[in-house]
Amino acid sequence: MESTQLFNLAPWVVFLPLIGLVINLLVGKKLGELFAGVLASAATGLALLVSILLAVALSGHHEGTTVVLSDWITIGDFTSRWAFRVDTLSVVMMLVVSGVGLLIHIYSIGYMHNDVRHNGDTGRFTRFFVFMNLFIAAMMILVSADNFLMMFVGWEGVGLCSYLLIGFWFEKGKDGIGNANAAKKAFITNRVGDFGLLIAMFLIFTSFGTLQFDQVFSQAAIVAAAKPGVMLLITLFMLLGVTGKSAQLPLFVWLPDAMAGPTPVSALIHAATMVTAGVYLVARSAVFYTLVPTAQTVVTWVGAATAIFAATIAVGQYDIKKVLAYSTISQLGFMVAAVGMGATVAGMFHLVTHAFFKGLLFLAAGSVIQGMERGMHHGAHPDHETDPQDMRRMGGLRKQMPLTFWVYLIGALALAGIAPLAGFFSKDEILLSAWQTRPAVFIVLAAAAFLTAFYMGRQLIIVFFGKPQTKPAEHATESPLVITIPLLILAALSVLGGLLNFPGLHTLEHWLSHTLGEGEPAHFNFLVAGISLLLALCGLGLAWLVYSRKSAAEAPDPLSKPLGPVFKGMERKWWVDELYQSILLDPYKAAAGFIAEKVDLGVIDRIGGGLAAGTRMLAEGIRKFQNGYIRTYALWMLLGLAVIMTYIFFK
C-alpha cells in the first residue's frame, strides 16, 4: 500500500471504537468481563495503529489531506460534509488520545474488576467499557474534523460521555446522589461554555459563509480587516467554550467534582481527552488569534490566572485525586497561556507530555486507592471508616507498594519540572516564551511552577513517607500486573517524553510547522531553565521541611497556623462554589420557585381552574333545561318564537 493510500484509513479512528462498543452492547454481557475489557482495549489499540499509519503517511506528505466520507447537510448553497482532516496537528492529537486511551483501557480491566462488585450489577462492567469506547470515538471526531460543525459534534459527544462516566456510580456520594450531582454539574457547566462556542460558530458562518476550516482560515485576514469587532467577538466567544472544556476561570468548578467517577475516568478526562479539547481548538484556530491581539492578551491572562489560582487550591487539599485535579486545571492554564502568547508548539508540547505524566499520576493514585481498600479488608475486622482517598490516612506506602511509589515519584517529578524528565522541557518552553514576550505573565507562571513542585512534594511525603497512619495503610498491598504494566509504560514516556521536542532537534516543532506555519524554533535558554529548575527544587525542598517533621494525621496542617486565613481559603477552594451558589444558583432557584408557586400555581392555575369551574357551572345550569318533558321543550320553542317575532315587529 502506497503511503498516500494510508490516508484513506482516517475514518477508522472513529469507526473502530464504535465497532467495539456495538459488539459489547450486543454480546459483551454474555461473554464476560474479560471479553468486554479486551475487546474495548483492542478497538482502541487498533485506532492507535491507524493513527501511527497516518503519521507514517504524513512523514512523506507533510501537507496532509482531507478524506471525505460523504456530504452531511445541504441547505441551499450551504453544504457541510463529513470529512476527516489528516494533518500534523490532528494526528498528534489522535496519537495522544488513542495511545494514552489504550493504556487506560488496559488498566481499567483490572481496576474495574474490583471496583464494581459492591453494587451487584453484572452488566455494569461491560457498560463502563461501552462508555469508554464512545468517549474515544467522540474525541476522535473532534480532533479529526474538517469543519467547525463536525468538530462540534465531537465536542458535544465528549460532554455527553463525561456525564455518563462521571456519574457512573450515580448511587454513591453524599446523600446517595453526590456522584449524580457531580455529573450534572459537569454537564451543565460545560453547556455554558458550549453556548459560547455555538455563538462563535454562528458568527463565523454569517461572516465567512462557510464552516470549513480551509475556507474560513484563508479568509480570516480579509474579514478581520473589514470586521474587526466581529473577529474579536468570535475569538472571545470561542474562549468561553475553551474555559468550559479546558476548565479555565471562571468555568473550572466542574473538574474537581469529576473525581466522583472511577479513577480510569479521571485519567481519561484529565490527561488525554476532554480537557485538552479547548487547547486544541485555540491551536487549530491560531490564525484568528494572531489577527486579534486583544483576544491573545485575554487568552494569555485567563490561562496564567487559572494556573496560579488552581495551584494555590491544590496546596490545601487532602483528597489524593483532588490534588491532581487542581493540578490539571493549573497545567491547562500553562497550555492556554502558551497558545495565547502565540507559542502554540510549546502549548502542544506540554499537552503531550502532560498526557504522559498526568495519566501516570491518576492511574498510580488509583493503584494507591485500591491498595488502601485491600488493606481495609485485611484480617477479621475490616476498617470501613477510613476514606481510601484521604492522604492523611495513608503514610509509609513506599514500603507496602514500592512499584507504585517509584512510578508516582517519576510522575510527580515530571510534573514539578525536574530535569531531565518530560515536564521540565515542555514547561521550560512556555516559561521561555513568557520571559521573552510577557514578563508579567512569566512571574505568574513561575510562581505557579513553584507551587506545583511544593504541592507535589507535599503529596509524596504525606502518602509515601513517614509511618502508616491507619491499619489499611499498614496492610496495603501492591496492585496486579494488569494495573502496574500501564504505569510502567507511562513512567517511561514521562522520562523520555522531552525528546519529542528536545532542544537542538525541535522534532515536534518541525512536525507541527507544516500545519501551524513556520516559526522560529525555541532556543534553549540556560537562565530560564535554571530559574525553572531552581524553583522546582525549592518547592520540593520546602515541602520536605514543612511536612517531613509532622505526622500527616495530626491536625491542623503545618501550614494552617503560619498562613492563617490564606490556608483556610486554599482548603475551602477560595469559596468559589459558595460564591456561585449565592450569586447564581440561589437566585435562580428563588426565581424558579416564585414562578412555579406564585405565577404558575397562584395565577395561571387559578385562572385555568376558574375557567374550568365556570364552564362546569354553566354546563350544570344548562343541563337543568334538559328534563325530558316535551311540553317544556314546546314552551321554550314558543318563547323563542315570541322573542323573534317581537324583534322583527319592532325592528
Side-chain angles (χ1 to χ4, degrees), residues 216-233:
V216 169
F217 297 146
S218 63
Q219 302 177 54
I222 299 172
V223 174
K227 303 176 180 178
V230 173
M231 284 297 295
L232 178 61
L233 288 175

Side-chain angles (χ1 to χ4, degrees), residues 438-459:
R438 298 178 184 267
V441 174
F442 172 81
I443 294 172
V444 174
L445 294 180
F450 170 79
L451 289 176
T452 301
F454 177 80
Y455 64 67
M456 289 311 301
R458 170 181 180 265
Q459 187 178 63

Side-chain angles (χ1 to χ4, degrees), residues 266-598:
S266 303
L268 192 64
I269 291 177
H270 288 244
T273 56
M274 182 172 169
V275 294
T276 62
V279 180
Y280 170 76
L281 174 62
V282 179
R284 175 63 72 187
S285 309
V287 173
F288 284 171
Y289 289 91
T290 56
L291 295 170
V292 188
T294 301
Q296 279 190 309
T297 301
V298 174
V299 172
T300 301
W301 277 108
V302 165
T306 303
I308 187 68
F309 186 79
T312 62
I313 297 177
V315 172
Q317 303 306 301
Y318 297 103
D319 185 302
I320 188 172
K321 288 172 64 177
K322 285 203 173 176
V323 173
L324 299 178
Y326 282 104
S327 171
T328 296
I329 297 171
S330 181
Q331 297 307 303
L332 287 167
F334 275 85
M335 301 174 208
V336 171
V339 294
M341 292 184 291
T344 308
V345 174
M348 291 301 300
F349 185 24
H350 198 54
L351 184 152
V352 175
T353 61
H354 179 265
F356 298 154
F357 57 72
K358 187 54 61 69
L360 169 62
L361 286 169
F362 268 111
L363 297 186
S367 179
V368 169
I369 293 168
Q370 288 213 336
M372 289 286 292
E373 289 176 343
R374 288 189 292 271
M376 288 182 188
H377 301 287
H378 179 87
H381 303 286
D383 187 347
H384 296 290
E385 297 182 358
T386 299
D387 181 358
Q389 296 184 194
D390 191 337
M391 299 189 300
R392 293 167 294 184
R393 303 292 178 261
M394 301 176 186
L397 290 183
R398 74 184 192 279
K399 296 179 180 179
Q400 281 76 21
M401 306 180 71
L403 191 151
T404 298
F405 162 68
W406 283 109
V407 296
Y408 208 105
L409 178 65
I410 291 172
L413 294 180
L415 174 57
I418 300 297
L421 303 180
F424 167 77
F425 293 101
S426 58
K427 190 177 293 184
D428 179 67
E429 285 197 17
I430 297 174
L431 291 173
L432 177 59
S433 178
W435 173 274
Q436 294 174 337
T437 60
R438 298 178 184 267
V441 174
F442 172 81
I443 294 172
V444 174
L445 294 180
F450 170 79
L451 289 176
T452 301
F454 177 80
Y455 64 67
M456 289 311 301
R458 170 181 180 265
Q459 187 178 63
L460 281 169
I461 295 165
I462 294 176
V463 174
F464 294 103
F465 289 86
K467 297 180 180 179
Q469 302 302 315
T470 57
K471 291 292 183 182
E474 287 183 16
H475 300 290
T477 57
E478 190 60 88
S479 297
L481 286 176
V482 71
I483 287 178
T484 56
I485 288 177
L487 298 181
L488 291 171
I489 296 173
L490 286 169
L493 292 171
S494 299
V495 173
L496 302 174
L499 295 175
L500 287 172
N501 207 43
F502 195 76
L505 299 177
H506 307 291
T507 306
L508 186 64
E509 186 106 28
H510 296 314
W511 177 263
L512 291 176
S513 66
H514 300 287
T515 299
L516 301 176
E518 295 288 343
E520 184 178 350
H523 299 288
F524 190 77
N525 187 302
F526 285 97
L527 177 60
V528 175
I531 294 173
S532 174
L533 183 58
L534 180 62
L535 288 171
L537 293 173
C538 288
L540 292 171
L542 182 61
W544 181 262
L545 289 173
V546 173
Y547 287 95
S548 65
R549 300 178 181 181
K550 189 172 182 179
S551 170
E554 295 180 30
D557 189 282
L559 288 179
S560 62
K561 186 174 181 180
L563 295 183
V566 174
F567 185 80
K568 188 68 174 179
M570 297 175 177
E571 193 176 22
R572 296 291 301 275
K573 311 165 193 175
W574 298 115
W575 298 279
V576 174
D577 282 310
E578 289 83 354
L579 179 64
Y580 280 2
Q581 185 74 36
S582 61
I583 67 173
L584 293 176
L585 296 181
D586 288 345
Y588 175 80
K589 289 180 179 178
F594 175 80
I595 293 172
E597 296 177 10
K598 303 297 184 182

Side-chain angles (χ1 to χ4, degrees), residues 13 25 51 92 147 149 158 196 211 288 320 351 385 387 499 601:
V13 296
L25 276 174
S51 301
V92 166
N147 56 77
L149 191 59
V158 295
L211 293 173
F288 284 171
I320 188 172
L351 184 152
E385 297 182 358
D387 181 358
L499 295 175
L601 295 177

Side-chain angles (χ1 to χ4, degrees), residues 36 84 98 123 158 177 197 219 247 305 307 316 346 362 411 416 442 447 516 604 631:
F84 296 83
S98 57
V158 295
I177 58 172
L197 178 57
Q219 302 177 54
F362 268 111
F442 172 81
L516 301 176
I604 297 176
R631 60 179 179 272

